[in-house]
Amino acid sequence: MATASVADLPGGARGYLVLIALAQGEPPSQLALAKEVSLDRTVMTYLLDDLEAHDLVLRRPDPRDRRARQVVLTEAGRARLGEVRRSLASAEARLLADLTDGDAEQLRSLLSRVAQTAQRELVAPDEMKC
């Protein structure tokens, strides 16, 4: 259900992660954004090319370091992100329809903890094995 909600977004789920990260605050550099969403720099470049071609993001020189590029969410990108969020919320509501509010909240909490563990494993896999 979630995959269908982001299917027509450039980059699919990866594109969604980038838009979410950009909506959170100060425009990051392209490299910082790649690290934040755990994408290879080369993959990030191609993904940003695609998102920029659809007017969802733009890259501009970083005023603090002209060698770096900031990635900025456009108004069209912000609007598209809102659409995708609503679609995902609708998909989640359908998926969790048979759960009580408390059960749904507990499931979200448990899945969040699993996702945090997975993220830590992705960032520092050798440390997790010690």
Side-chain angles (χ1 to χ4, degrees):
M1 288 182 180
T3 302
S5 295
V6 298
D8 66 340
L9 191 64
R14 287 178 172 172
Y16 175 70
L17 289 175
V18 166
L19 296 182
I20 287 287
L22 293 176
Q24 311 239 343
E26 185 70 25
S29 70
Q30 192 167 318
L31 182 58
L33 180 60
K35 287 180 182 178
E36 183 176 342
V37 297
S38 301
L39 285 177
D40 176 79
R41 292 182 326 188
T42 305
V43 172
M44 178 59 75
T45 298
Y46 288 118
L47 179 56
L48 290 176
D49 287 347
D50 206 13
L51 290 167
E52 198 167 32
H54 286 85
D55 192 37
L56 301 177
V57 303
L58 64 90
R59 290 175 274 196
R60 65 182 184 203
D62 187 329
R64 295 165 295 204
D65 180 358
R66 294 296 217 173
R67 297 168 296 167
R69 309 281 286 168
Q70 284 183 325
V71 184
V72 179
L73 187 62
T74 64
E75 285 306 314
R78 196 170 301 284
R80 186 70 183 105
L81 177 59
E83 293 168 8
V84 173
R85 281 181 165 162
R86 286 187 293 280
S87 180
L88 285 168
S90 176
E92 180 183 277
R94 289 192 312 272
L95 187 63
L96 303 180
D98 291 336
L99 299 180
T100 66
D101 289 345
D103 288 343
E105 188 55 41
Q106 183 178 16
L107 177 62
R108 284 185 197 98
S109 175
L110 292 170
L111 290 173
S112 176
R113 288 168 48 194
V114 169
Q116 289 171 358
T117 301
Q119 183 66 23
R120 281 194 309 270
E121 173 66 18
L122 186 65
V123 171
D126 294 332
E127 292 176 19
M128 294 292 289
K129 294 175 186 170
C130 296

PDB file of all heavy atoms in Angstrom, residues 26 60-66 68 70:
ATOM      1  N   GLU A  26      16.637  23.627   7.736  1.00  0.00           N
ATOM      2  CA  GLU A  26      17.689  24.296   6.957  1.00  0.00           C
ATOM      3  C   GLU A  26      18.116  23.429   5.777  1.00  0.00           C
ATOM      4  O   GLU A  26      18.316  22.231   5.931  1.00  0.00           O
ATOM      5  CB  GLU A  26      18.889  24.558   7.873  1.00  0.00           C
ATOM      6  CG  GLU A  26      20.009  25.341   7.235  1.00  0.00           C
ATOM      7  CD  GLU A  26      19.658  26.795   6.988  1.00  0.00           C
ATOM      8  OE1 GLU A  26      18.782  27.335   7.689  1.00  0.00           O
ATOM      9  OE2 GLU A  26      20.261  27.393   6.080  1.00  0.00           O
ATOM     10  N   ARG A  60      21.406  24.754  -5.212  1.00  0.00           N
ATOM     11  CA  ARG A  60      21.991  26.085  -5.338  1.00  0.00           C
ATOM     12  C   ARG A  60      23.311  26.107  -4.560  1.00  0.00           C
ATOM     13  O   ARG A  60      23.516  25.292  -3.650  1.00  0.00           O
ATOM     14  CB  ARG A  60      21.034  27.146  -4.804  1.00  0.00           C
ATOM     15  CG  ARG A  60      20.788  27.020  -3.315  1.00  0.00           C
ATOM     16  CD  ARG A  60      19.808  28.057  -2.823  1.00  0.00           C
ATOM     17  NE  ARG A  60      19.674  27.947  -1.381  1.00  0.00           N
ATOM     18  CZ  ARG A  60      18.649  28.366  -0.689  1.00  0.00           C
ATOM     19  NH1 ARG A  60      17.637  28.940  -1.306  1.00  0.00           N
ATOM     20  NH2 ARG A  60      18.611  28.239   0.617  1.00  0.00           N
ATOM     21  N   PRO A  61      24.193  27.036  -4.921  1.00  0.00           N
ATOM     22  CA  PRO A  61      25.451  27.129  -4.172  1.00  0.00           C
ATOM     23  C   PRO A  61      25.185  27.433  -2.705  1.00  0.00           C
ATOM     24  O   PRO A  61      24.304  28.224  -2.378  1.00  0.00           O
ATOM     25  CB  PRO A  61      26.189  28.291  -4.847  1.00  0.00           C
ATOM     26  CG  PRO A  61      25.553  28.424  -6.187  1.00  0.00           C
ATOM     27  CD  PRO A  61      24.125  27.987  -6.024  1.00  0.00           C
ATOM     28  N   ASP A  62      25.920  26.789  -1.844  1.00  0.00           N
ATOM     29  CA  ASP A  62      25.820  27.035  -0.402  1.00  0.00           C
ATOM     30  C   ASP A  62      26.486  28.378  -0.118  1.00  0.00           C
ATOM     31  O   ASP A  62      27.653  28.573  -0.457  1.00  0.00           O
ATOM     32  CB  ASP A  62      26.519  25.915   0.366  1.00  0.00           C
ATOM     33  CG  ASP A  62      26.327  26.007   1.865  1.00  0.00           C
ATOM     34  OD1 ASP A  62      26.202  27.129   2.393  1.00  0.00           O
ATOM     35  OD2 ASP A  62      26.313  24.948   2.511  1.00  0.00           O
ATOM     36  N   PRO A  63      25.772  29.341   0.485  1.00  0.00           N
ATOM     37  CA  PRO A  63      26.374  30.656   0.730  1.00  0.00           C
ATOM     38  C   PRO A  63      27.580  30.599   1.682  1.00  0.00           C
ATOM     39  O   PRO A  63      28.425  31.478   1.657  1.00  0.00           O
ATOM     40  CB  PRO A  63      25.236  31.481   1.334  1.00  0.00           C
ATOM     41  CG  PRO A  63      24.172  30.525   1.690  1.00  0.00           C
ATOM     42  CD  PRO A  63      24.391  29.269   0.925  1.00  0.00           C
ATOM     43  N   ARG A  64      27.681  29.546   2.487  1.00  0.00           N
ATOM     44  CA  ARG A  64      28.804  29.410   3.421  1.00  0.00           C
ATOM     45  C   ARG A  64      30.010  28.731   2.776  1.00  0.00           C
ATOM     46  O   ARG A  64      31.124  28.852   3.256  1.00  0.00           O
ATOM     47  CB  ARG A  64      28.377  28.607   4.647  1.00  0.00           C
ATOM     48  CG  ARG A  64      27.320  29.326   5.479  1.00  0.00           C
ATOM     49  CD  ARG A  64      26.693  28.372   6.431  1.00  0.00           C
ATOM     50  NE  ARG A  64      25.976  27.380   5.621  1.00  0.00           N
ATOM     51  CZ  ARG A  64      24.962  26.663   6.035  1.00  0.00           C
ATOM     52  NH1 ARG A  64      24.545  26.762   7.260  1.00  0.00           N
ATOM     53  NH2 ARG A  64      24.361  25.817   5.235  1.00  0.00           N
ATOM     54  N   ASP A  65      29.755  27.968   1.687  1.00  0.00           N
ATOM     55  CA  ASP A  65      30.828  27.232   1.007  1.00  0.00           C
ATOM     56  C   ASP A  65      30.428  27.075  -0.451  1.00  0.00           C
ATOM     57  O   ASP A  65      29.672  26.172  -0.800  1.00  0.00           O
ATOM     58  CB  ASP A  65      31.032  25.864   1.666  1.00  0.00           C
ATOM     59  CG  ASP A  65      32.131  25.050   0.998  1.00  0.00           C
ATOM     60  OD1 ASP A  65      32.726  25.519   0.001  1.00  0.00           O
ATOM     61  OD2 ASP A  65      32.387  23.926   1.469  1.00  0.00           O
ATOM     62  N   ARG A  66      30.923  27.945  -1.301  1.00  0.00           N
ATOM     63  CA  ARG A  66      30.516  27.969  -2.708  1.00  0.00           C
ATOM     64  C   ARG A  66      30.841  26.672  -3.459  1.00  0.00           C
ATOM     65  O   ARG A  66      30.315  26.415  -4.521  1.00  0.00           O
ATOM     66  CB  ARG A  66      31.172  29.149  -3.434  1.00  0.00           C
ATOM     67  CG  ARG A  66      30.700  30.475  -2.938  1.00  0.00           C
ATOM     68  CD  ARG A  66      29.247  30.621  -3.212  1.00  0.00           C
ATOM     69  NE  ARG A  66      28.923  31.986  -3.569  1.00  0.00           N
ATOM     70  CZ  ARG A  66      27.741  32.343  -3.975  1.00  0.00           C
ATOM     71  NH1 ARG A  66      26.798  31.472  -4.100  1.00  0.00           N
ATOM     72  NH2 ARG A  66      27.483  33.586  -4.250  1.00  0.00           N
ATOM     73  N   ALA A  68      30.133  23.739  -2.261  1.00  0.00           N
ATOM     74  CA  ALA A  68      29.064  22.806  -1.913  1.00  0.00           C
ATOM     75  C   ALA A  68      27.741  23.288  -2.505  1.00  0.00           C
ATOM     76  O   ALA A  68      27.570  24.469  -2.811  1.00  0.00           O
ATOM     77  CB  ALA A  68      28.953  22.680  -0.400  1.00  0.00           C
ATOM     78  N   GLN A  70      23.571  23.336  -1.837  1.00  0.00           N
ATOM     79  CA  GLN A  70      22.438  23.099  -0.953  1.00  0.00           C
ATOM     80  C   GLN A  70      21.299  22.524  -1.773  1.00  0.00           C
ATOM     81  O   GLN A  70      21.134  22.860  -2.949  1.00  0.00           O
ATOM     82  CB  GLN A  70      21.945  24.406  -0.329  1.00  0.00           C
ATOM     83  CG  GLN A  70      22.787  24.940   0.784  1.00  0.00           C
ATOM     84  CD  GLN A  70      22.157  26.190   1.379  1.00  0.00           C
ATOM     85  OE1 GLN A  70      21.544  26.987   0.680  1.00  0.00           O
ATOM     86  NE2 GLN A  70      22.334  26.364   2.673  1.00  0.00           N
TER      87      GLN A  70
END
